[in-house]
Amino acid sequence: IEEALLLLGKEEVDLRSWMRRECFEDHIGRYSKARRKAPLYWQLSIPSKRYSIWLYYHRLTRDTLWRALNDLLKPEIAREQQRLASLRVDAGEAPTPSQRRAIQEQESLIAELATFRDDLETIAPLWYPNLNDGALLNFAPLWKLVPQLPSWQRELRDTWEKLRQGEYAWAHM
């Protein structure tokens, strides 16, 4: 891990933190030429960046979002709800300020995860990725799920609107 960080020029950064906060932006920069952006790895995230799901473009299928939802996100929500219940039990009737803060942070995380789940549940039945459409068109319906990179989110949202208006009539999406 340390060697990977050195190669990236990030020797003083925690790998987990770098993956959560910087990797995707760096990756898009590496896979962009002129106006074409074609990232191979896609980071779907909650706004706080405390939870992400990574997708690999060349392995996308009709079931990718369903699998992410059912195999990754729903079990994560269950784990975090158990953690919240444990925090509440430990805090008892008179929680300390730090315990109240921990409970509030956990409730906030669960709320973000629930919104993420709801968004995935809305998109999954409608999402039919086709690699011939290109990364931008396939990624466009997921625009709400990339808050960690506002410029990319705007570009995806704009592409989604054009797609919805029929500008890409040739696309499979």
Side-chain angles (χ1 to χ4, degrees):
I1 292 173
E2 291 168 5
E3 185 178 345
L5 288 170
L6 284 172
L7 289 170
L8 293 166
K10 309 285 183 184
E11 61 273 352
E12 294 183 20
V13 177
D14 170 51
L15 183 60
R16 183 179 299 262
S17 175
W18 180 79
M19 288 290 295
R20 202 177 319 150
R21 300 180 186 285
E22 298 175 43
C23 178
F24 188 58
E25 183 174 8
D26 183 58
H27 178 69
I28 286 177
R30 290 176 192 265
Y31 284 86
S32 299
K33 290 192 177 184
R35 291 181 294 155
R36 181 176 181 262
K37 291 184 179 165
L40 297 178
Y41 297 100
W42 297 1
Q43 182 184 17
L44 307 180
S45 177
I46 61 175
S48 67
K49 304 174 191 169
R50 292 175 62 190
Y51 181 81
S52 295
I53 294 174
W54 287 84
L55 305 177
Y56 178 57
Y57 180 65
H58 292 290
R59 294 283 187 228
L60 295 177
T61 69
R62 168 79 181 92
D63 295 327
T64 299
L65 294 183
W66 289 113
R67 293 186 69 201
L69 182 64
N70 294 317
D71 297 347
L72 302 171
L73 184 55
K74 287 181 179 179
E76 180 67 17
I77 291 171
R79 278 189 295 276
E80 295 301 341
Q81 287 172 331
Q82 288 175 342
R83 184 165 181 258
L84 176 59
S86 177
L87 287 171
R88 287 180 173 154
V89 167
D90 291 346
E93 299 272 332
T96 65
S98 65
Q99 287 173 321
R100 279 195 299 275
R101 234 181 346 271
I103 289 170
Q104 288 173 342
E105 287 175 14
Q106 191 65 16
E107 289 171 340
S108 176
L109 174 61
I110 291 169
E112 282 187 284
L113 290 170
T115 300
F116 191 66
R117 179 201 57 219
D118 294 346
D119 288 341
L120 273 180
E121 286 176 339
T122 300
I123 299 165
L126 309 171
W127 195 63
Y128 293 91
N130 186 306
L131 300 184
N132 293 323
D133 286 350
L136 190 60
L137 290 182
N138 281 295
F139 209 155
L142 305 171
W143 69 270
K144 283 185 180 181
L145 306 177
V146 289
Q148 72 281 13
L149 191 54
S151 62
W152 179 241
Q153 186 180 49
R154 275 190 304 278
E155 187 167 349
L156 292 175
R157 185 187 61 230
D158 293 347
T159 302
W160 174 241
E161 286 304 315
K162 290 176 186 175
L163 190 61
R164 288 182 57 221
Q165 293 169 5
E167 189 167 319
Y168 301 104
W170 51 267
H172 298 87
M173 184 69 66

